[in-house]
């Protein structure tokens, strides 16, 4: 099992290019199942979750072709089954996103209940209830969701909770339904908007994406399209926080500043000088130590839960006391125990992490518990004395493209290490 070895103490400086957004690419790849012809999706990040999705589509008979720039041509016309098996779905919750497209386009789907990061309960009941309201016959047994329908019927859906994947799944199902579907209390995340834009490029009639009410006028068919995935706002935010923690200066290209208002606001509050252009962000910390900030996560456009662990890492080495409150997931502070092992003065009170910043952390062996927690441990390693060894980095490879290469490009002393080989002495 591979690990990352980080020798801290270096300020990050330089330019890097931001990758496409995993959380937009995955639903868009699922959406290509709705078309009656091939689609070409560009700006796809080279990540484990993308590879898993491609394998999942391939198992269904979909033809996939990838070029050297990670543009993926997806041809769903040769699909020969609508089965998403447990051995793939268990590794990635986003696999549930094939449920709506398969049901709407082919009238059937057998999808395993999903797995993924252990950051709290994320039930799929809202997906199931929404599809039933659209007219699907659904049963859940033996670890699988079994869904059948003729043609789905448009209806009014009121979501009990704001759910990104739930909104996306139901939106994809509704584009081929008969009549109008209205999704109320819909997720407003940019990735939902990106999916809606892609669906409309395929011939769908979706309006209101980016607000809490999405309206879909069902159409008879969708065609293939060419589409570019939006930049990854969480990768962007992670590198901005890394630069702020190390007192550095970075220029991030091929990104979208308007997606990061809440994060940029908190980093400016911490003392960072930030300038933005149409597709770039520059941060200059001027060698200064950041000030601690108070953060409360909430659905978009508020501060994102996917940037919570990173700002906890910043507060660990910032001047003053900072409080980070998690409101989205109930079990997303597992990184705190690991950062404590590195010398952080942080304690948990319910759903709030309270940090009294120290000047420098101490390198230690640490273990990643989920995707964003692993990123926070890497950031902590950048500002630690000595060596930090981050284990179980398969988590970070699910969501960050070549993180060690990009950090090294900015001057970090970081490299990927093979796992230890356990030898038997019997």
């Amino acid at each position: 099992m591979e690990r990352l070895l980080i020798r801290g103490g270096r300020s990050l400086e330089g330019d890097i290019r931001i990758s496409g957004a995993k959380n937009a690419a995955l639903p868009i790849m699922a959406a290509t199942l709705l078309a009656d012809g091939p689609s070409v999706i560009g700006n796809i990040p080279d990540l484990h979750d993308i590879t898993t999705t491609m394998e999942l589509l391939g198992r269904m008979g979909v033809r996939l072709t990838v070029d050297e720039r990670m543009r993926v041509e997806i041809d769903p016309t040769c699909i020969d089954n609508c089965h998403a098996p447990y051995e793939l779905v268990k590794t990635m919750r986003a696999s549930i996103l094939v449920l709506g497209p398969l049901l709407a386009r082919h009238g059937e789907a057998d999808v395993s209940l999903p797995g993924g990061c252990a950051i709290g309960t994320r039930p799929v009941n809202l997906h199931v209830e929404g599809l039933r309201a659209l007219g699907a016959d659904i049963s859940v047994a033996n670890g699988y969701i079994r869904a059948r329908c003729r043609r789905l019927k448009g209806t009014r859906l009121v979501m009990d909770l704001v759910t990104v994947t739930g909104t996306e799944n139901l939106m994809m199902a509704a584009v081929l339904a008969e009549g109008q579907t209205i999704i109320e209390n819909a997720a407003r995340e940019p990735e939902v908007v990106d999916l809606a834009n892609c669906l409309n490029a395929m011939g769908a009639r979706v309006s209101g994406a980016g607000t809490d009410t999405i309206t879909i006028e069902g159409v008879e068919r969708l065609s293939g399209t060419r589409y570019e995935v939006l930049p990854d706002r969480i990768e962007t935010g992670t590198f901005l926080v890394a630069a702020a923690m190390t007192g550095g200066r970075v220029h991030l290209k091929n990104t979208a500043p308007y997606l990061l208002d809440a994060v940029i606001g908190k980093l400016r509050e911490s003392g960072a000088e930030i300038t933005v252009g149409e597709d770039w962000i520059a941060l200059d910390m001027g060698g200064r130590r950041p000030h601690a900030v108070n953060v409360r996560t909430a659905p978009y456009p508020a501060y994102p839960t996917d940037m919570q662990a990173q700002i906890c890492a910043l507060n660990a080495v910032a001047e003053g006391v900072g409080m980070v409150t998690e409101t989205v997931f109930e079990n997303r502070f597992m990184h705190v125990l690991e950062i404590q092992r590195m010398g952080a003065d942080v304690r948990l009170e319910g759903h709030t992490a309270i940090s009294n910043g120290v000047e420098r952390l101490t390198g230690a062996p640490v273990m990643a518990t989920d995707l964003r927690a692993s990123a926070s441990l890497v950031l902590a390693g950048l500002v630690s004395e000595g060596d930090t060894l981050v284990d179980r980095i398969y988590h970070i490879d699910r969501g960050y493209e070549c993180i060690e290469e990009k950090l090294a490009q900015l001057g970090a002393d970081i490299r990927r290490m093979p796992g230890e080989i356990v030898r038997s002495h019997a």
Side-chain angles (χ1 to χ4, degrees), residues 292-295 315 319-324 346 352-357:
V293 294
N294 296 329
V295 166
N315 276 348
E319 291 186 59
V321 177
M323 295 190 295
V324 178
V346 55
T352 299
I354 304 170
S355 299
N356 187 9

Side-chain angles (χ1 to χ4, degrees), residues 56-120:
L56 177 60
L57 296 178
R59 290 275 192 99
M60 298 175 186
V62 176
R63 282 196 295 262
L64 298 107
T65 307
V66 185
D67 70 12
E68 68 281 356
R69 297 177 59 187
M70 278 303 289
R71 282 187 302 243
V72 182
E73 181 177 343
I74 305 172
D75 184 356
T77 58
C78 47
I79 192 167
D80 56 24
N81 72 90
C82 296
H83 182 75
Y86 171 71
E87 64 266 23
L88 291 176
V89 177
K90 70 178 180 180
T91 66
M92 186 183 68
R93 290 195 61 85
S95 302
I96 193 71
L97 288 167
V98 301
L99 178 61
L102 287 174
L103 186 63
R105 178 75 173 87
H106 299 281
E108 62 178 286
D110 293 310
V111 179
S112 171
L113 292 169
C117 287
I119 59 174

Side-chain angles (χ1 to χ4, degrees), residues 6 21 48 51 98 114 131 139 145 162 170 172 190 320 323 363 368 387 414:
I6 306 156
H48 282 186
T51 303
V98 301
L131 291 172
S139 60
I145 302 169
V162 177
L170 297 175
M172 288 188 284
M323 295 190 295
D387 292 349
I414 179 173

Side-chain angles (χ1 to χ4, degrees), residues 188-261:
R188 300 166 60 186
E189 270 70 6
E191 294 79 13
V192 174
V193 178
D194 209 34
L195 173 61
N197 291 340
C198 181
L199 290 170
N200 287 339
M202 297 165 69
R205 298 172 60 192
V206 180
S207 60
T211 75
D212 60 6
T213 303
I214 298 176
T215 301
I216 304 109
E217 302 289 345
V219 297
E220 292 283 342
R221 57 176 290 274
L222 296 180
S223 57
T225 190
R226 300 182 72 91
Y227 194 79
E228 294 286 313
V229 173
L230 90 171
D232 193 323
R233 61 191 172 105
I234 304 303
E235 185 194 28
T236 302
T238 300
F239 281 107
L240 290 175
V241 172
M245 289 174 64
T246 63
R249 180 176 59 202
V250 296
H251 182 268
L252 308 182
K253 301 177 288 186
N254 295 93
T255 188
Y258 70 93
L259 301 178
L260 288 138
D261 288 343

Side-chain angles (χ1 to χ4, degrees), residues 319-372:
E319 291 186 59
V321 177
M323 295 190 295
V324 178
T325 300
E326 175 61 52
T327 72
V328 179
F329 294 117
E330 73 277 9
N331 190 29
R332 206 169 200 181
F333 278 123
M334 290 182 284
H335 52 89
V336 168
L337 294 176
E338 298 299 301
I339 291 180
Q340 284 175 339
R341 297 184 64 247
M342 302 172 73
D345 183 359
V346 55
R347 70 183 189 275
L348 290 176
E349 292 187 2
H351 296 295
T352 299
I354 304 170
S355 299
N356 187 9
V358 298
E359 286 195 21
R360 189 168 293 276
L361 300 173
T362 303
V366 291
M367 183 177 68
T369 53
D370 64 69
L371 170 54
R372 305 307 171 184

